[in-house]
Amino acid sequence: EQNSRFTLEIENQTLTAVRSGNTKLFTQTIQLLQDEYGEQECCEETRKLLNKSLGDQKLSYLHFAAQGGHSGLIGKLLELGCDPSVKDKAGRVPYSLAKDKETRAAFIKSRSLHPDKYDWKKALVPEPLSQEELELKENREKEKKKAKQQMRKEKLKLQKEEQKQKKEEAEEKARYLALSDREKRALAAERRILAASSGENTVAKTVVLNRCFLCGQDITGKVPFTYNDNNFCSIACVKKHRTST
């Protein structure tokens, strides 16, 4: 009875450790087994414990570790004899439940360290990559990372250029609005002469040729609303100008 109580306590503690990813608790639990049994008997008891099917779904401790993404525990479980080819009630091996890339990598690493310990093919754990394949994969990842960094730099550069252009536009608009009506008309005349002499399409790329007389909005290339020889961007600006004069 005392032995049964001890076994149940070990099982519960192991399950808690594996489900929560608590490596320290798991190590302490295995140490309790080693203290209870001799070295050879302990190895056998540990294998029995770790390969026990749990719950209605018949999951092993390795299933729980894979499902939870606890990669740090997977290597320990496999080293201690937890069979990766054991299936649950649904016919799934632990590797098929691996939560993420890091978890899958832990299985593959164990296969590379212990190639003959389990039926890795039955466990669906892929063969580790060769050194050449690893280098090729690493180089591809570096190239992808480099390309992403370049894209981020170009995007940031474009954003800065847009911000600079908007700032310059706002500053020019503010200067225009600060002009008197007479100065606005004189400036408009100068720009009409500039457009006529240099070619409108060429100048328009660098110079704002026409602004709303009231709000300063750029209306280059647009058909303006004209009132008293002044150009406006909208009827609303025309009305405001008329009521203010």
Side-chain angles (χ1 to χ4, degrees):
E1 186 180 344
Q2 186 177 354
N3 189 47
S4 297
R5 191 181 298 113
F6 173 77
T7 302
L8 183 60
E9 182 183 338
I10 290 295
E11 287 178 359
N12 289 336
Q13 196 164 303
T14 303
L15 183 59
T16 300
V18 171
R19 294 188 76 168
S20 63
N22 192 330
T23 307
K24 185 177 180 180
L25 179 60
F26 179 78
T27 304
Q28 290 172 346
T29 307
I30 298 302
Q31 186 61 51
L32 287 174
L33 277 173
Q34 292 175 347
D35 294 341
E36 181 70 18
Y37 301 101
E39 185 177 345
Q40 187 173 352
E41 192 179 357
C42 175
C43 291
E44 185 60 34
E45 289 297 323
T46 302
R47 274 194 294 271
K48 285 181 183 178
L49 168 71
L50 297 181
N51 288 297
K52 186 174 182 179
S53 296
L54 307 168
D56 295 336
Q57 296 301 315
K58 303 298 181 184
L59 299 170
S60 70
Y61 292 104
L62 198 55
H63 279 98
F64 282 112
Q67 206 169 39
H70 305 310
S71 56
L73 277 173
I74 287 169
K76 292 181 179 296
L77 286 164
L78 290 167
E79 190 175 343
L80 290 168
C82 196
D83 192 345
S85 65
V86 171
K87 297 178 180 179
D88 65 3
K89 188 177 180 179
R92 301 170 300 180
V93 292
Y95 183 81
S96 66
L97 298 183
K99 185 179 180 180
D100 49 34
K101 185 179 179 181
E102 188 178 350
T103 308
R104 291 190 291 273
F107 279 97
I108 297 169
K109 183 180 179 181
S110 290
R111 176 171 180 170
S112 69
L113 295 172
H114 311 287
D116 302 318
K117 190 168 185 175
Y118 301 107
D119 187 344
W120 294 106
K121 190 174 181 180
K122 187 179 176 182
L124 303 182
V125 178
E127 288 186 30
L129 297 175
S130 66
Q131 187 60 37
E132 184 179 348
E133 288 170 328
L134 283 171
E135 288 176 2
L136 186 62
K137 184 180 179 182
E138 187 178 343
N139 288 335
R140 279 199 298 262
E141 287 175 354
K142 282 181 180 178
E143 287 298 321
K144 284 182 181 179
K145 188 177 179 182
K146 187 178 179 181
K148 284 182 180 179
Q149 287 176 340
Q150 185 62 32
M151 284 178 67
R152 281 196 294 268
K153 284 181 181 178
E154 289 176 1
K155 187 177 180 180
L156 185 61
K157 185 180 178 181
L158 283 173
Q159 287 175 344
K160 286 182 177 179
E161 286 176 357
E162 286 175 4
Q163 289 171 358
K164 183 182 178 182
Q165 189 175 353
K166 285 179 181 179
K167 184 181 177 183
E168 289 174 351
E169 167 67 19
E171 289 173 350
E172 186 181 347
K173 184 177 178 180
R175 286 194 296 270
Y176 179 82
L177 292 174
L179 297 174
S180 66
D181 288 356
R182 185 178 179 183
E183 288 171 327
K184 287 179 183 177
R185 292 189 187 98
L187 180 62
E190 284 179 17
R191 289 183 174 175
R192 282 196 297 270
I193 294 169
L194 178 64
S197 62
S198 303
E200 189 170 344
N201 292 334
T202 304
V203 177
K205 293 178 182 179
T206 55
V207 178
V208 176
L209 298 175
N210 200 3
R211 287 187 180 277
C212 175
F213 192 77
L214 183 71
C215 71
Q217 178 70 35
D218 179 11
I219 52 175
T220 303
K222 298 178 182 179
V223 178
F225 295 88
T226 304
Y227 175 74
N228 278 353
D229 293 328
N230 299 320
N231 292 331
F232 299 86
C233 65
S234 65
I235 291 292
C237 280
V238 175
K239 287 180 179 179
K240 283 184 182 180
H241 175 71
R242 289 182 66 182
T243 55
S244 65
T245 56

